[in-house]
Amino acid sequence: MNTADTDSRDWVAMPYGAFPDEVDEDKVLAHAAAILAARAEAPPAEPEPVPSKHVPEGGSTLFHVLGDAVSIDGATWHERGSEFSVTHEQAAQKFDRRGRNTLDAWVEAGRVGLGPYPDFERPWVYGSLPWTQARDAASREAASLTDPDERAAAFDAVMKYFGPARYTPESGEKHYRQRMQEFADWRARQKGGSR
């Protein structure tokens, strides 16, 4: 745009209120004050406990942790791979600010699952710190074997179970494909088939 061709009025600051879509600050502040006054008179009601659709009334359900650590009571933490039982009363008290049952949200998000911890699942995520610690401990145990054939077989088992020691996108993909095959095999065994 050539500034010589423009009208000088284009560059002049327009006075407040020259446009119909501008905000009237006094009206906004008065509206905000009215909202705050209404909130002070009647504080928001606590959300009603929402019963969990996964825990029957009067009973309890076994869950297992698939994601990060979770806590039902705020004091006891359950890490990935652990199992815990929740009563109907405990589940009804665990809800978020929007009134959703937290336990149900965890199940839907895949952080926890129903029933015992599946035997095809690992108690760690490939490439995580717990994976590194468990792999190092298994490697040390394999290295402590004196028989060369046993030691080689133990290192092969460590490699098969834990995957490569260094995480790369390729090793992560290979490990993921192996885990999906293990899951398919497990599911076939659960259905009574053989693979």
Side-chain angles (χ1 to χ4, degrees):
M1 174 183 215
N2 185 354
T3 56
D5 296 336
T6 61
D7 191 347
S8 62
R9 288 177 290 164
D10 292 341
W11 302 98
V12 175
M14 301 299 286
Y16 180 77
F19 299 101
D21 61 342
E22 287 184 356
V23 177
D24 185 353
E25 290 181 44
D26 292 333
K27 286 182 182 177
V28 171
L29 292 174
H31 185 67
I35 291 172
L36 291 174
R39 285 184 184 168
E41 291 174 9
E46 288 292 320
E48 289 291 320
V50 179
S52 172
K53 57 187 170 190
H54 297 101
V55 182
E57 190 168 341
S60 66
T61 302
L62 181 67
F63 291 90
H64 59 269
V65 182
L66 293 168
D68 298 330
V70 297
S71 176
I72 295 300
D73 59 6
T76 307
W77 287 90
H78 306 281
E79 295 185 0
R80 179 181 170 91
S82 64
E83 299 173 353
F84 60 96
S85 196
V86 177
T87 65
H88 180 74
E89 292 76 25
Q90 288 173 316
Q93 297 302 318
K94 191 74 176 164
F95 56 95
D96 63 13
R97 293 180 300 186
R98 293 177 281 185
R100 293 183 318 164
N101 187 284
T102 306
L103 198 56
D104 292 343
W106 287 345
V107 171
E108 291 165 15
R111 287 185 68 189
V112 299
L114 296 166
Y117 195 74
D119 59 355
F120 69 87
E121 281 290 349
R122 309 287 198 260
W124 36 258
V125 175
Y126 181 65
S128 66
L129 180 61
W131 167 80
T132 302
Q133 294 168 338
R135 191 180 196 291
D136 289 348
S139 295
R140 281 192 302 275
E141 189 174 318
S144 70
L145 297 174
T146 55
D147 181 24
D149 293 334
E150 287 179 7
R151 186 171 45 242
F155 275 121
D156 286 344
V158 167
M159 181 67 165
K160 183 176 182 343
Y161 185 77
F162 289 99
R166 191 168 150 225
Y167 178 83
T168 64
E170 293 81 19
S171 68
E173 181 182 348
K174 181 180 177 186
H175 186 72
Y176 176 77
R177 280 195 309 262
Q178 175 188 336
R179 300 287 297 117
M180 290 299 98
Q181 183 60 50
E182 290 174 9
F183 174 70
D185 294 344
W186 175 82
R187 179 167 272 167
R189 284 192 309 272
Q190 295 297 104
K191 291 181 178 179
S194 60
R195 259 188 126 174

